[in-house]
Amino acid sequence: MDGSRIGSGWGVVVASALLAVGMVVAVFVGGQALRDVKPGRTITVKGFSERPIVSDHAVWSGNLVARSSTLAEGYDKLAGDLARVRRYLAETGIPDEQVSVSPVSIGVRFRQTDNGMWTGEVDGYDLNQTVTVSSADVRAVERVAREITALIREGVEVNSWSPSYYYTRLDDLKIEMLGEAAADARRRAEEIAAKSGSGVGELINASQGVFQITPAFSTEISAGGMYDTSSIDKTIRAVVTIGFGVD
């Protein structure tokens, strides 16, 4: 028998034996390391609070336009239209102290030639004035925004813009909701800990998330928070992230 081949075979056997021993040692050491690692002593959860709210303040603006060939006629027309709008607002339940009026802005129209070239000759004037209502009577403001364009039938050129609806007691409500969200977070932590046979200890850390104020029943959210002003009925949501010690 060839001695070199016998020596080579013994070398393979010895190498294999050493590899097997090394694996056994590695498994033993790894097992000891895992056994020595202590479990984490904190649990981090999110808590939520959600409430429906109804807007308690509204702001609406409308734009009056008077078109005329002279400034004097334009001012007279605009003054008459503004008086009619004020009467309409009063009839709708909006007192005059809740109405503000901007200064008049004037636009000049120039004549064009038959081939479409502009000239320096004045053709007329467009006078604009903005009327703004700021009121706690939200439903009255909603009605004004929806119905005031009916004055167009009386010759009043008015453009109605969508109202903005606000909730003025947000600061107090936010404090209450953060407390509710924190209590919800603790309940969640206790449920999770109980399933592993542990208990929840003291609060370790906490962070406040953004508030989401959306139209009622909306699921839309934003990473930077939302404040919807387009709807009267809204939903406000608060979230907190809290870490608790685990007993």
Side-chain angles (χ1 to χ4, degrees):
M1 183 177 290
D2 189 341
S4 62
R5 292 179 63 183
I6 294 174
S8 175
W10 275 106
V12 172
V13 171
V14 171
S16 299
L18 290 174
L19 179 61
V21 171
M23 292 177 65
V24 170
V25 172
V27 169
F28 175 77
V29 172
Q32 287 295 104
L34 288 174
R35 194 172 64 185
D36 290 340
V37 172
K38 295 182 179 179
R41 306 307 299 165
T42 63
I43 183 172
T44 301
V45 295
K46 291 185 182 295
F48 301 88
S49 177
E50 180 176 299
R51 289 191 187 184
I53 56 175
V54 179
S55 302
D56 59 8
H57 198 87
V59 177
W60 167 84
S61 292
N63 185 56
L64 294 174
V65 182
R67 309 176 195 277
S68 65
S69 58
T70 68
L71 280 176
E73 290 177 359
Y75 271 108
D76 288 344
K77 176 68 166 60
L78 199 60
D81 290 350
L82 178 60
R84 178 64 186 97
V85 168
R86 285 186 180 276
R87 289 197 305 273
Y88 170 80
L89 294 175
E91 293 164 1
T92 310
I94 305 295
D96 198 59
E97 59 267 23
Q98 295 178 355
V99 181
S100 61
V101 180
S102 74
V104 176
S105 65
I106 303 171
V108 180
R109 298 194 310 272
F110 294 95
R111 293 189 187 278
Q112 283 183 289
T113 63
D114 293 339
N115 59 5
M117 299 293 293
W118 292 102
T119 70
E121 184 180 357
V122 174
D123 187 46
Y125 301 90
D126 296 333
L127 284 72
N128 292 263
Q129 196 163 33
T130 300
V131 179
T132 301
V133 173
S134 181
S135 174
D137 193 342
V138 173
R139 298 299 176 183
V141 174
E142 180 189 34
R143 188 163 58 253
V144 166
R146 185 177 61 248
E147 299 176 358
I148 195 170
T149 50
L151 296 180
I152 293 175
R153 290 195 294 265
E154 300 179 27
V156 177
E157 186 174 344
V158 55
N159 300 302
S160 178
W161 299 329
S162 297
S164 294
Y165 301 105
Y166 303 94
Y167 185 77
T168 61
R169 300 188 295 275
L170 274 179
D171 288 343
D172 293 338
L173 183 58
K174 284 181 177 180
I175 294 174
E176 293 178 15
M177 293 185 66
L178 287 175
E180 293 173 356
D184 179 61
R186 187 169 190 89
R187 285 193 296 270
R188 292 171 184 266
E190 289 172 347
E191 290 175 2
I192 296 171
K195 291 179 180 178
S196 62
S198 302
V200 175
E202 64 180 5
L203 186 149
I204 303 299
N205 53 64
S207 63
Q208 173 190 327
V210 295
F211 281 84
Q212 309 285 348
I213 303 173
T214 63
F217 310 113
S218 172
T219 58
E220 185 179 5
I221 61 172
S222 169
M226 295 186 65
Y227 191 154
D228 167 67
T229 60
S230 65
S231 57
I232 295 176
D233 298 304
K234 313 179 192 292
T235 298
I236 179 170
R237 300 177 182 87
V239 60
V240 295
T241 303
I242 301 182
F244 295 97
V246 178
D247 300 332

